[in-house]
Amino acid sequence: MTESTNPRLSDGTLLSDLINLETREVKMRTLSDPELYELEMERIFAKTWVFLGHETEIPNKGDFVVRDMGSDSVLMARGSDDNIYVSLNVCPHRGMKISTHDVGNTPVHVCIYHGWAFKPNGDFIGAPVDKECMHGNLLTKEQLGLKKARVAIYGGLVFATWNIDGPSFDDFLGDAKWYFDTLWCRTNKGMEVLGPPQRFTIRANWKTACEQSASDGFHVLTLHRWLSEVGPYRKPGSEGGGGDLTPEMYGSEVYTAHAHTMRCIELDRKIRRLTGKEPSELSVKEKLEALPPPGITPAMLPEMMERFSEDQLKLMTWRPPQVGNFFPNGLFEFVYIPTPDGVIGVMALHAYVPKGPDKLEFVNWILAEKDTPPELKAQMLRLGVQLLGTSGMVEQDDSDTWPHQTLAAKGAVSKNITLKYQAMYENAKPEGWPGPGDVGDGFTKDDTQWRWWQYWHELMTAKN
């Protein structure tokens, strides 16, 4: 636990006045306040590990993409040594952006203002007219490189932090790593992105999306009810809708110290429907063959089974993580989508990038294992974009609510009402639960989202 402070906003409000840790309430003002936003950029996005993208977006030496770590633009680039580097996209000479492109390939990044040049790893090369030494003699070339972040590559995912001497990436993941390994580290070759990410801007505070991404399951019943009325969960032959999403609300939810969370949804119904047998009568291998994890083909199963412990395989065939988050602003979806021909697994990643107190950028990647057959990749991409992409049917629902919340948070009266997270698990881990962390069992509750706010509070009040 970090030593805490209690920042005071310009109107005299203490940060502790915005969140009631006993009654599990958060004032709406947190979703719009500009001062609070600036503090978040300094105390969260400049301190924690931030998800930026996937290594297969920049497969070749010199490849780069421009991303954001909170309010800071960064270059995510593959160097001549084949390693991935993350550097501040700001020239140390006069503050011009080094790259004004979103993506590209170059062995040298040249600032368009005065021509200072940098390697993909951020090292300073020099300024034009070398004999005139236009970079001066007061600082060495080593001191004039781009500001570099610490980088961690995990299962192909790229994370970075400005907190150079802070906790390791493994410490940041904590108990969540045991579960995340079953998603991101399933095959020897790993995953790849199926094309560049989709992006669009939403007039909403970043936290509206991110507190929902912390495994809010309850909203699915109402906001996404079309899934059971006309979508993939519609009961065949029913009149006027018919399907029931309530069974999808049961399972287990995991929440960890650093607010990485996940919804682990029961598979027994699907396996029973596919095999006609009780899951308890089947071995782990038989259940995996009947219903492979999203994105895993039967041919990949032997390799996957060798990579995990018995406890992890038990989880993957009982209640695997299907939706969850990376704190502070990442969401993942590993979902089973019913189709007329059976079940297709879809894998998506979202980042909700802050662009101001009332603006965020929604970034969406669709992924597949590298060994996935091309025709299946095409199906996964099509279905992923249709459901989970920027124009996807699910995301149209979600992105409609967040601007309304942000606008309400600006009201003279409504800014002081509270977001409530008071539906609590009152039971222990389910019997035989194989993994670590805090675990709730049964119908989805608010504990995962509340953990998100608890960690937000811890970081916002931490002594720098």
Side-chain angles (χ1 to χ4, degrees):
M1 184 65 69
T2 54
E3 187 177 351
S4 65
T5 62
N6 195 5
R8 187 183 297 274
L9 303 180
S10 59
D11 66 354
T13 301
L14 292 170
L15 190 139
S16 60
D17 295 333
L18 301 177
I19 182 168
N20 190 320
L21 298 175
E22 293 184 1
T23 62
R24 297 170 46 132
E25 295 177 88
V26 181
K27 285 194 176 180
M28 286 282 289
R29 175 178 172 179
T30 58
L31 302 182
S32 67
D33 191 285
E35 286 184 84
L36 206 58
Y37 177 83
E38 294 301 323
L39 281 173
E40 290 167 343
M41 297 303 102
E42 296 171 4
R43 297 187 173 216
I44 296 178
F45 285 91
K47 296 291 185 182
T48 60
W49 289 92
V50 178
F51 166 67
L52 295 179
H54 198 273
E55 64 178 353
T56 57
E57 295 181 79
I58 48 172
N60 304 309
K61 295 175 182 179
D63 284 351
F64 72 92
V65 293
V66 172
R67 295 285 151 80
D68 292 282
M69 292 173 64
S71 53
D72 290 302
S73 175
V74 297
L75 286 164
M76 185 177 101
R78 190 174 291 273
S80 60
D81 58 1
D82 213 34
N83 290 321
I84 292 176
Y85 296 88
V86 173
S87 307
L88 190 66
N89 188 25
V90 176
C91 183
H93 181 217
R94 299 288 168 81
M96 176 61 191
K97 291 182 73 173
I98 294 297
S99 178
T100 56
H101 300 284
D102 289 335
V103 61
N105 178 283
T106 180
V108 179
H109 292 273
V110 180
C111 178
I112 64 171
Y113 195 3
H114 294 95
W116 280 31
F118 304 86
K119 296 179 182 179
N121 68 0
D123 289 348
F124 178 59
I125 298 173
V129 195
D130 185 61
K131 68 178 181 178
E132 297 296 340
C133 196
M134 291 304 294
H135 62 276
N137 293 312
L138 297 180
L139 298 174
T140 66
K141 285 190 174 183
E142 288 73 21
Q143 292 173 301
L144 292 174
L146 303 180
K147 183 176 177 61
K148 299 180 183 182
R150 288 169 71 193
V151 177
I153 311 296
Y154 170 67
L157 305 175
V158 182
F159 292 81
T161 181
W162 299 118
N163 194 355
I164 303 302
D165 299 318
S168 69
F169 181 70
D170 281 354
D171 287 341
F172 178 63
L173 285 189
D175 287 337
K177 186 177 185 299
W178 187 92
Y179 300 92
F180 289 168
D181 283 352
T182 68
L183 302 176
W184 306 108
C185 307
R186 302 181 302 181
T187 61
N188 294 331
K189 291 184 180 179
M191 294 184 191
E192 63 182 1
V193 292
L194 300 182
Q198 298 175 296
R199 300 158 59 184
F200 78 112
T201 299
I202 304 172
R203 298 294 301 186
N205 183 272
W206 70 278
K207 295 188 296 300
T208 59
C210 292
E211 63 91 37
Q212 184 196 97
S213 75
S215 301
D216 174 17
F218 191 41
H219 78 281
V220 176
L221 282 177
T222 48
L223 191 61
H224 303 315
R225 65 181 181 271
W226 64 269
L227 285 165
S228 63
E229 294 174 345
V230 297
Y233 289 90
R234 184 177 186 270
K235 188 175 181 180
S238 62
E239 296 292 333
D244 182 12
L245 288 175
T246 304
E248 300 298 321
M249 300 299 102
Y250 288 90
S252 300
E253 293 182 339
V254 179
Y255 41 110
T256 63
H258 294 156
H260 312 303
T261 74
M262 60 210 81
R263 295 193 64 225
C264 302
I265 302 172
E266 185 77 59
L267 292 186
D268 283 0
R269 296 182 309 279
K270 292 181 175 66
I271 292 173
R272 191 178 292 115
R273 186 166 59 248
L274 289 168
T275 66
K277 298 180 180 180
E278 284 300 314
S280 59
E281 300 173 0
L282 302 174
S283 67
V284 165
K285 182 174 182 292
E286 289 171 329
K287 285 190 279 190
L288 285 171
E289 290 172 343
L291 185 62
I296 295 293
T297 65
M300 298 177 196
L301 285 175
E303 175 187 327
M304 190 198 76
M305 291 181 68
E306 290 179 358
R307 297 176 67 87
F308 297 113
S309 68
E310 289 184 11
D311 282 343
Q312 286 172 312
L313 290 171
K314 175 182 177 179
L315 179 84
M316 295 166 76
T317 57
W318 175 29
R319 293 181 178 179
Q322 294 187 45
V323 180
N325 77 302
F326 299 117
F327 186 91
N329 67 326
L331 173 141
F332 60 82
E333 295 164 298
F334 282 64
V335 292
Y336 302 86
I337 303 298
T339 70
D341 300 322
V343 176
I344 289 183
V346 172
M347 303 181 293
L349 262 171
H350 301 337
Y352 305 112
V353 182
K355 291 292 186 178
D358 58 359
K359 185 188 295 185
L360 67 88
E361 183 180 54
F362 178 113
V363 187
N364 174 60
W365 296 260
I366 306 295
L367 303 103
E369 300 287 345
K370 290 179 180 177
D371 283 338
T372 301
E375 61 275 12
L376 180 55
K377 285 181 182 177
Q379 287 181 286
M380 293 170 68
L381 178 60
R382 183 176 66 252
L383 195 55
V385 170
Q386 179 185 0
L387 290 174
L388 307 173
T390 54
S391 60
M393 298 176 73
V394 169
E395 301 310 334
Q396 287 186 52
D397 296 336
D398 290 329
S399 59
D400 182 58
T401 63
W402 304 330
H404 290 293
Q405 291 175 280
T406 303
L407 285 171
K410 298 179 180 182
V413 174
S414 57
K415 70 180 181 181
N416 288 314
I417 70 167
T418 57
L419 310 166
K420 297 172 181 65
Y421 302 86
Q422 297 167 339
M424 295 177 277
Y425 285 112
E426 297 178 353
N427 51 32
K429 294 181 180 181
E431 184 178 353
W433 186 258
D438 293 317
V439 184
D441 184 39
F443 194 85
T444 181
K445 294 292 192 293
D446 294 337
D447 296 77
T448 53
Q449 290 178 274
W450 180 241
R451 178 59 54 84
W452 192 94
W453 280 107
Q454 285 177 308
Y455 192 48
W456 175 89
H457 176 265
E458 180 181 333
L459 292 174
M460 291 291 284
T461 59
K463 186 174 181 179
N464 294 327

